[in-house]
Amino acid sequence: MRLVVMAGYELDEIEQRVCEHFRDVPAEPRLPSKDGDSDPIVGKGVTNLEGYGLPFHPSSLGRVHRIVPVRDHHTLTLTWQFPSLRAHWRTKPADVIGHLIGHEASGSVLSVLKSRKYAMGLSAGVGDEGLSDASTHALFEVGVSLSKLGVRNWE
């Protein structure tokens, strides 16, 4: 676990507040580095979260959530949860699937949606940030930038 704090306070006050609010969080396990210092275990797949399973309970899947846009832009996002893909870092299956779905050539998903005037853009894949690609799971998303006609025919 990492904690990043951005605040408009003096460093001493930030430290005092962090210590006060996070004192019950256990310290991260450390391993000796090559030069003898203790470094946090990073990217080694060492976590106590594996037993928790995927982030979304099956009862919460298969739902449509509509969010009123704050600007004139409509996106349809489809999300699938996978077990962690970190063990497959050499073959990168999510990148391969994302490339195939996100390809823009003739006959692609996007070219069909564009020919029907439903979409203007499409992206697919697992994000690089920790929320989408974690040690416990991966969230694969397909995002479609919809036209007004696409909004009316999203299904």
Side-chain angles (χ1 to χ4, degrees):
M1 180 187 326
R2 302 280 187 261
L3 173 67
V4 175
V5 177
M6 293 175 50
Y9 300 103
E10 294 293 324
L11 184 58
D12 291 339
E13 186 174 349
I14 294 170
E15 182 179 13
Q16 183 264 326
R17 288 177 181 223
V18 167
C19 289
E20 176 185 335
H21 293 287
F22 294 93
R23 68 175 165 255
D24 294 331
V25 176
E28 182 176 356
R30 297 183 172 273
L31 289 177
S33 67
K34 291 177 186 170
D35 59 1
D37 288 340
S38 290
D39 290 334
I41 300 171
V42 178
K44 302 255 191 312
V46 176
T47 177
N48 61 352
L49 299 175
E50 280 88 5
Y52 288 98
L54 296 173
F56 301 112
H57 190 273
S59 66
S60 68
L61 302 176
R63 296 178 184 245
V64 174
H65 300 275
R66 294 172 193 223
I67 301 169
V68 178
V70 294
R71 58 186 174 144
D72 193 22
H73 183 82
H74 301 277
T75 303
L76 172 67
T77 304
L78 306 170
T79 306
W80 291 267
Q81 63 180 357
F82 297 143
S84 176
L85 298 172
R86 293 194 174 203
H88 306 286
W89 63 272
R90 287 180 196 248
T91 56
K92 298 180 181 13
D95 290 0
V96 173
I97 295 168
H99 176 74
L100 293 172
I101 293 173
H103 196 58
E104 299 181 9
S106 177
S108 68
V109 173
L110 180 59
S111 70
V112 170
L113 293 173
K114 278 185 169 182
S115 72
R116 295 180 183 177
K117 302 194 181 341
Y118 287 173
M120 297 157 307
L122 184 145
S123 63
V126 173
D128 293 332
E129 72 283 350
L131 298 176
S132 297
D133 186 16
S135 60
T136 57
H137 66 279
L139 298 177
F140 186 90
E141 290 187 349
V142 175
V144 183
S145 218
L146 297 173
S147 66
K148 288 182 181 181
L149 183 60
V151 171
R152 290 194 295 272
N153 295 284
W154 69 270
E155 292 182 53

